[in-house]
Amino acid sequence: MAFDSLSEKLQNVFKNLRSKGRLTEADVKAALKEVKMALLEADVNFKVVKQFVKSVQERAIGADVMNGLNPGQMVIKIVNEEMIKMMGSETTELKLRPGQATTIIMMVGLQGAGKTTTTAKLAGKFKLKGKKPLLVACDVYRPAAIQQLQVNGEKQGVEVFTMGDGHKPVNIAKAAVEHAAKNGNNVVILDTAGRLHVDEDMMDELIEIKENVDVAQTVLVVDAMTGQDAVNVASTFDEKIGIDGVILTKLDGDTRGGAALSIRAVTGKPILYAGMGEKLSDLEQFYPERMASRILG
Ligand code: GDP
């Protein structure tokens, strides 16, 4: 289960804190040292951890806290609040244009991150909201990706637009937008091609699509299990093409939690959804508060 090892370690630290009647400054510092170790072991970004510990310490080592009835609880409460802050505090919705205006969403990410699966998952969410989504197969390098999108689109009862693998992605995107206008599709989701690593060709292709199609939201899909690599990928995509938000996949298998805890703080971009499994229904809105409760138990 997600965050298991981090949860376990933090709960041990908290158990020690709770068992003390009174807390000295040294107690708090010792506990925070352990919290810091646990976060670093969970692969949370070093700078984020440093800032987090500093904030908790400043708040926790105050007279009010030390004289409180239950100081251990107070420290835990502060850790909880700062952890929520680290993940962006508020839940961020993927913004759709109002009314019947068409929203074009471009899905980007490295190969294997879960982009094609997530694209179909998202379409299902929009369909439930009464929208009429169109999935667009722009990954022309992997014929299997086109087929995968078609199969998943069918499962979701959502139309898939494809022109095979003989056209440039930008032209497929343009044709899809025209098709959507004729057919009343008010959400167009472009499934673009990933690569094994960040490369210039991929970025150029994405920039070309953005320049020619009115993309409202660029959504990056990253694999939570890759930890800090996922955070670096998010920073790079944001620098090169600009992203509006992140979907974190495979959180169901991520025992560490480093990506979930660092992405927002490092990139400033919100996590919109979390992938919690391979099934097309396994996509959850990302709630920083719930995530913190999951971690802190
Ligand atoms: P793409 O190359 O980025 O388009 O990746 P795919 O959509 O083909 O997904 C790669 C693999 O990850 C597939 O086996 C998916 O079933 C799996 N996958 C995607 N999202 C999740 C998730 O949230 N949890 C789990 N456990 N597996 C996922």
Side-chain angles (χ1 to χ4, degrees):
M1 185 54 204
F3 307 121
D4 266 1
S5 60
L6 177 60
S7 264
E8 204 181 302
K9 284 184 196 129
L10 291 178
Q11 277 168 29
N12 277 334
V13 180
F14 294 158
K15 207 161 77 196
N16 288 340
L17 272 184
R18 279 201 195 96
S19 66
K20 290 184 194 278
R22 294 191 48 192
L23 285 183
T24 62
E25 193 170 316
D27 289 333
V28 173
K29 282 190 173 158
L32 284 180
K33 204 170 158 194
E34 283 181 57
V35 170
K36 183 176 173 181
M37 288 298 294
L39 289 172
L40 288 174
E41 275 169 36
D43 200 23
V44 180
N45 177 279
F46 179 68
K47 282 188 196 150
V48 174
V49 173
K50 245 174 101 173
Q51 183 56 47
F52 172 81
V53 170
K54 189 165 164 263
S55 306
V56 174
Q57 193 157 312
E58 276 168 11
R59 290 183 58 194
I61 301 178
D64 287 354
V65 178
M66 308 317 280
N67 296 333
L69 277 179
N70 194 340
Q73 291 287 359
M74 191 68 194
V75 175
I76 295 162
K77 183 171 177 287
I78 294 169
V79 167
N80 182 50
E81 286 169 6
E82 291 295 324
M83 197 170 264
I84 293 168
K85 223 187 266 176
M86 181 163 40
M87 288 184 280
S89 299
E90 303 285 305
T91 295
T92 310
E93 297 266 350
L94 205 167
K95 286 184 200 71
L96 296 183
R97 292 198 163 136
Q100 283 309 301
T102 302
T103 308
I104 302 173
I105 301 168
M106 181 165 82
M107 306 294 288
V108 301
L110 296 184
Q111 205 169 301
K115 185 164 33 58
T116 303
T117 310
T118 305
T119 301
K121 287 178 176 178
L122 256 190
K125 292 250 178 253
F126 294 137
K127 198 179 159 199
L128 282 176
K129 286 185 182 171
K131 298 283 178 186
K132 193 179 169 195
L134 179 69
L135 293 174
V136 185
C138 291
D139 184 351
V140 293
Y141 306 103
R142 266 199 324 137
I146 301 177
Q147 205 187 356
Q148 189 188 344
L149 195 66
Q150 280 173 318
V151 169
N152 285 340
E154 197 166 313
K155 276 191 203 159
Q156 297 286 60
V158 170
E159 192 188 347
V160 177
F161 182 91
T162 160
M163 289 165 65
D165 57 6
H167 295 265
K168 279 177 73 177
V170 63
N171 293 331
I172 299 173
K174 282 201 258 185
V177 172
E178 277 175 33
H179 176 93
K182 279 192 210 124
N183 289 272
N185 298 107
N186 44 20
V187 183
V188 176
I189 315 179
L190 309 174
D191 182 30
T192 65
R195 306 281 198 281
L196 285 176
H197 305 283
V198 169
D199 87 17
E200 290 301 318
D201 285 347
M202 169 174 64
M203 294 299 179
D204 288 346
E205 192 172 288
L206 299 173
I207 290 167
E208 195 182 11
I209 295 176
K210 266 194 148 174
E211 282 171 352
N212 285 279
V213 173
D214 185 17
V215 173
Q217 293 278 313
T218 303
V219 176
L220 173 71
V221 178
V222 288
D223 176 347
M225 289 171 73
T226 63
Q228 286 314 290
D229 278 346
V231 181
N232 294 335
V233 166
S235 298
T236 308
F237 269 84
D238 193 35
E239 276 161 31
K240 303 261 183 195
I241 62 165
I243 59 172
D244 297 291
V246 175
I247 296 182
L248 206 52
T249 61
K250 310 182 196 179
L251 210 61
D252 50 305
D254 176 27
T255 54
R256 297 181 301 166
L261 285 166
S262 325
I263 279 191
R264 176 61 188 249
V266 172
T267 67
K269 302 296 172 178
I271 296 173
L272 304 165
Y273 288 97
M276 300 300 292
E278 295 195 84
K279 288 203 305 289
L280 292 179
S281 53
D282 295 333
L283 187 70
E284 293 180 6
Q285 188 122 37
F286 189 79
Y287 298 102
E289 226 166 282
R290 280 192 210 166
M291 203 54 74
S293 314
R294 217 178 260 185
I295 296 166
L296 298 178

